[in-house]
Amino acid sequence: MATEGEAQQSRLGFTLGADQVSFDLEESVYPLEAVYGAAYLFLDRCFVYLTRPSADSVGVRLTAQEAGSEDLEKLAGEFANELLSQTLRLKLAQSTARIREYYTAAALRAATSAPSVDELLAELESEELLEDPLEIMVPWEEKHASDQTDGEGTESDPKAKDG
Amino acid sequence: MAERIVFDPSLYLSEAVDAAAEAYSEHAQINVTAADGSIAAEIAETGEHDEKVIAHAFSNHVLFETIARKQQAALDEGA
């Protein structure tokens, strides 16, 4: 597919043709994954064609789907912005990959070593829950039954006071 | 006159070109050849459709197939 018409340099440094715009990218600056990511988002807006002008660069050519339907310089500018966004996202993903792997592994480890319901019940049964040194489980009446019989009618007995 | 598109193998997967050629077989006759380290597709007999438009759309489809396959391969590798 040969480039049609006379090409001219745009304000932003893109090469503008009659219905297409092209530019080269340094792969050391914009990884190929980022170029793919940006290209994927533009597939429904224009025709995207990639070339290899040299070993370490990628050529991008964007062609309007219908002649005159797109502001080509704006289209290429938006592509370049998206390319930067994709590059940043990729670099962030790479720089945080180890910590994400660590947390995922820790979560999986915790999930596999979590005790089963039977194990939890067995643990509960084995604990001496019925020990009650502070007599918290003893009802008030039962706890103070001896006080009531010993000091009936005294001021310290609230029931005697009411009666 | 047939439209010829050359796909660089470092950017496009050959199986993506084959898949796109099969997907477009209803709209055009597409001959895929691999030679001199590149993959070429010749597009002819596009019927009532414009050959250039079919060629551009075909090239978009090859790129889509390439990206989708590379993403799937990356996912399979990570799994």
Side-chain angles (χ1 to χ4, degrees), chain A residues 39-99:
Chain A
Y40 188 82
L41 294 175
F42 276 70
L43 284 177
D44 62 339
R45 277 186 67 181
C46 58
F47 298 122
V48 185
Y49 179 64
L50 304 177
T51 55
R52 183 67 85 179
S54 68
D56 53 0
S57 65
V58 177
V60 179
R61 193 179 70 201
L62 308 175
T63 306
Q65 289 187 348
E66 286 173 31
S69 63
E70 288 272 7
D71 179 343
L72 292 169
E73 190 172 27
K74 188 174 170 228
L75 185 74
E78 285 178 25
F79 188 96
N81 277 0
E82 184 54 44
L83 196 56
L84 269 178
S85 169
Q86 293 281 338
T87 303
L88 180 65
R89 194 176 299 182
L90 192 68
K91 285 192 187 296
L92 275 174
Q94 281 167 352
S95 65
T96 58
R98 286 199 69 187
I99 197 163

Side-chain angles (χ1 to χ4, degrees), chain A residues 1-2 4 19-20 32 35-37 39-40 42-44 46-52 58-59 61 63 65, chain B residues 3-8 10-13 52-53 55-61 63-64 66-68 70-71:
Chain A
M1 289 191 295
E4 285 179 9
D19 63 346
Q20 60 191 27
L32 190 55
V35 178
Y36 282 142
Y40 188 82
F42 276 70
L43 284 177
D44 62 339
C46 58
F47 298 122
V48 185
Y49 179 64
L50 304 177
T51 55
R52 183 67 85 179
V58 177
R61 193 179 70 201
T63 306
Q65 289 187 348
Chain B
E3 281 285 321
R4 188 169 190 269
I5 315 170
V6 177
F7 297 103
D8 191 292
S10 68
L11 300 168
Y12 294 92
L13 296 173
K52 279 195 192 312
V53 173
H56 281 305
F58 172 74
S59 141
N60 251 20
H61 199 85
L63 185 56
F64 165 77
T66 299
I67 295 168
K70 280 183 183 272
Q71 277 180 342

